[in-house]
Amino acid sequence: MVNWWWVRHGPTHRRDMNGWTDVPADLSDTAALERLRDYLPADAPVVSSDLTRAIKTADAIQASRPRLPHERGLREIHFGAWEARTFDEVQEEDPRLIRRYWEQPGDVKPPGGESWHELSARVNRAVDWLTGEAGDIIAVAHFGTILSQLQRARGCTAVEVLEQRIDNLSVTRVTWDGRSWAPRETNHIPE
């Protein structure tokens, strides 16, 4: 049995479409980070996306755990030409495309960006490559990245999984038993 302990990075306080834009996380809530560090398996290796907000969050919870190299495949969805722009800005520019993007996730993508299916395939490849025979892996990543794996475990649609809340500094665990993925706790905030 392999347990993937997905941790969403610390908050960025941004209100734009922030996918591959490399911005820092606010890691000032040291009590929440300590609770998170204590909740996660003590000997599990830690891997993160290669974006700063995930790397620094992983640094904050690592403690004495082994660290794997940053994994580009665990990045957030790429918003292409919409990166670092607000919904209202994009809505004004191309209201039909952005509406389809959010209401019909799958193959619809922003100019120069990724579709939901492309994000999922990229993350699946990285996860499959990192998954061993047994044990635990702590992965610090992003909203879309985590939801792609929750969708895989639940066997649900993109529309259904996008309704799931994934808070910053929360834990979502999925397991691999050698044959199939299964969801465990979702959006858990350690207390």
Side-chain angles (χ1 to χ4, degrees):
M1 177 80 67
V2 179
N3 291 288
W4 274 81
W5 301 80
W6 290 98
V7 174
R8 185 170 179 205
H9 61 74
T12 64
H13 307 297
R14 293 178 61 114
R15 300 289 176 242
D16 56 9
M17 291 189 222
N18 189 8
W20 286 17
T21 304
D22 202 10
V23 297
D26 174 0
L27 300 174
S28 62
D29 190 345
T30 56
L33 289 165
E34 185 175 328
R35 288 190 302 272
L36 183 57
R37 186 172 43 247
D38 291 346
Y39 177 77
L40 295 165
D43 58 351
V46 178
V47 65
S48 73
S49 139
D50 65 344
L51 295 173
T52 301
R53 58 193 181 270
I55 293 169
K56 295 302 181 187
T57 303
D59 291 346
I61 65 168
Q62 180 179 355
S64 62
R65 295 175 179 97
R67 187 69 170 266
L68 301 175
H70 312 316
E71 176 54 55
R72 184 179 176 91
L74 300 182
R75 280 186 174 198
E76 180 60 280
I77 196 165
H78 184 29
F79 289 113
W82 298 349
E83 278 288 329
R85 297 177 64 202
T86 66
F87 176 85
D88 290 341
E89 290 172 331
V90 176
Q91 172 78 13
E92 195 172 302
E93 182 179 292
D94 197 342
R96 293 171 114 179
L97 182 58
I98 196 166
R99 183 178 180 137
R100 283 182 48 236
Y101 182 76
W102 293 115
E103 292 179 359
Q104 300 168 16
D107 293 321
V108 179
K109 60 183 170 182
E114 283 181 304
S115 70
W116 180 261
H117 291 162
E118 290 169 333
L119 162 75
S120 297
R122 171 174 51 83
V123 177
N124 287 350
R125 282 190 302 273
V127 168
D128 292 349
W129 181 76
L130 289 165
T131 298
E133 298 296 317
D136 295 295
I137 298 172
I138 299 168
V140 182
H142 312 272
F143 178 76
T145 307
I146 295 167
L147 285 183
S148 76
Q149 296 310 289
L150 191 57
Q151 179 188 12
R152 187 184 204 190
R154 287 181 177 171
C156 64
T157 68
V159 171
E160 291 168 324
V161 82
L162 284 166
E163 294 174 356
Q164 175 66 55
R165 185 180 176 114
I166 301 291
D167 292 313
N168 294 105
L169 303 180
S170 68
V171 177
T172 297
R173 184 168 60 101
V174 298
T175 60
W176 170 248
D177 67 4
R179 294 183 315 278
S180 63
W181 292 94
R184 301 298 181 225
E185 62 262 46
T186 301
N187 196 39
H188 175 73
I189 305 290
E191 297 179 5

